Structure formats: structure tokens, C-alpha cells
Amino acid sequence: MTFTRPSIPTCAAHLVLAGITGWSLKQLPATSSSATSGVPFMFMLLIFLLVHSLLGIFRHSHPDPHANLRKLYDLSALLTMLCPLPLLNTQLYLKCQPLLASSFLPLVYGYLLVSVLVPFTAGFVYSSINQRHKSGYVTTAMNLLNLAVLTWLSCSFDNLWGLGLAVSYGMKLFALPRLAERYSVVDLYIYGLGFFEIFAINVVIDAELYREEMGIR
């Protein structure tokens, strides 16, 4: 049996992420009784990130993690790159435009599925090392699309937290990998998820205030 040294900094990063996720769950506004805006996409996202952080703690604290645990964590890490922004965008739109969203519900859910499934499928199709860059192109393109959607929604509903998140997410998308590579700090992405959660929960709170101001039920 081959033992590897546990990564204490990575465990600490996942522990911080778990703490931020717990705080975010506590701050999450109660869902509306509306059939559309009440769909708890943000709650689902936070629960997923909490599970991911716990998987990361187990994965990086054990000297010899099981192969299935490694695969599960790798899959979870992939989903953290694909799911957060589409889920947040969908929640934001359903909260601020529940009546209009009910008429275009298939399109809204179609956007959510396409935003996640297209890059996820590309990751499997272009899984070989010499084709992995193609998967990266698809993921980047979908992230840019999701950023554009978030920017549009934030401008439409006067959500300044959403605009701030769009800027910070763009920096995380393009600047963070280069900083992590240059300074050999592999845990920057995990801390970036924590900052995403802080912004995202305030986006949802701001959207709830927008609903109250506009008299949306």
C-alpha cells in the first residue's frame, strides 16, 4: 500500500469553503411560494458545494484515499466549474421575473441544462491529453455565455452584487489559473469558490429585495 502525505493547506481551503457555505445557507432567504421562483436552485448549489468541500477534506486528509473517493472528488471538482453560474442565473431570473418565466419555463430550464451538459459532455468526448484543450475551449465559451447572461440580468434588475460577481468571476476564470500556476498556489480556486458564494448569496438577497420593491409575489 502506497501512502501519500496529506495536503494540509488543501484541507484547510476546503474547511474554509465548508464554513462559508454554512454561513451562506444561514443567510439564504426563504423561498417564495411561487411555483417558479420558489425552485431552490441556490439552495441546491450551496448543498452541492458543502458536499464538495467535505469530499475535499476527506480526499486530501487521508494518506491513501480510495480510488472511488478520488474519482468522486474529481467529478465534483469538474461540476464546480460548470454548475454555479447557470444555477445562480436561473435562480435570479426566476426570482425577478416569475410571471414571464412561467411562460418560458422550458427555455429557462433548457438554458440550465445546456450550460451544464454541453461542457460536461465535451469533457468526456475530448478526454485524451492531445484533445483536452478542445474541452477547455467549450467550457470557456459556456462560461463567457453565462457571464453575459449574469451581466444582462444584473443590469435588468439593478443588481449591483450581480455586476460585482460578474467582474470577480471573470477574474477568477482568466486571472486565477495564471496566478495559481505562477505562484504554485493550487488552492486559489477553492478560495475563489468561497468568494463566489459570498457574492452569490448577496445577489439572491438583493433579488429578494427587488421582488419586495416591485411587489412581486
Side-chain angles (χ1 to χ4, degrees), residues 45 82-90 111 142-143 146-147 150 165 169 196:
L45 173 60
L82 307 179
C83 294
L85 213 51
L87 286 171
L88 176 63
N89 286 343
T90 305
Y111 154 77
M142 292 307 302
N143 277 322
N146 291 323
L147 273 177
L150 176 60
L165 177 58
Y169 197 90
F196 172 86

Side-chain angles (χ1 to χ4, degrees), residues 54-77:
L54 295 177
L55 283 174
I57 293 172
F58 291 131
R59 161 68 176 85
H60 293 284
S61 63
H62 199 283
D64 186 41
H66 195 275
N68 290 335
L69 177 59
R70 295 183 184 184
K71 292 179 181 179
L72 187 60
Y73 175 77
D74 290 342
L75 176 61
S76 177

Side-chain angles (χ1 to χ4, degrees), residues 43-122:
F43 177 77
M44 293 161 54
L45 173 60
L46 292 176
I47 292 297
F48 163 68
L49 290 176
L50 180 61
V51 172
H52 172 72
S53 61
L54 295 177
L55 283 174
I57 293 172
F58 291 131
R59 161 68 176 85
H60 293 284
S61 63
H62 199 283
D64 186 41
H66 195 275
N68 290 335
L69 177 59
R70 295 183 184 184
K71 292 179 181 179
L72 187 60
Y73 175 77
D74 290 342
L75 176 61
S76 177
L78 173 62
L79 291 175
T80 62
M81 294 187 287
L82 307 179
C83 294
L85 213 51
L87 286 171
L88 176 63
N89 286 343
T90 305
Q91 183 76 89
L92 180 59
Y93 184 74
L94 293 179
K95 270 188 172 295
C96 296
Q97 287 284 9
L99 297 179
L100 187 61
S102 61
S103 302
F104 297 97
L105 210 55
L107 291 178
V108 175
Y109 290 153
Y111 154 77
L112 177 60
L113 290 175
V114 168
S115 297
V116 176
L117 291 181
V118 168
F120 187 79
T121 304

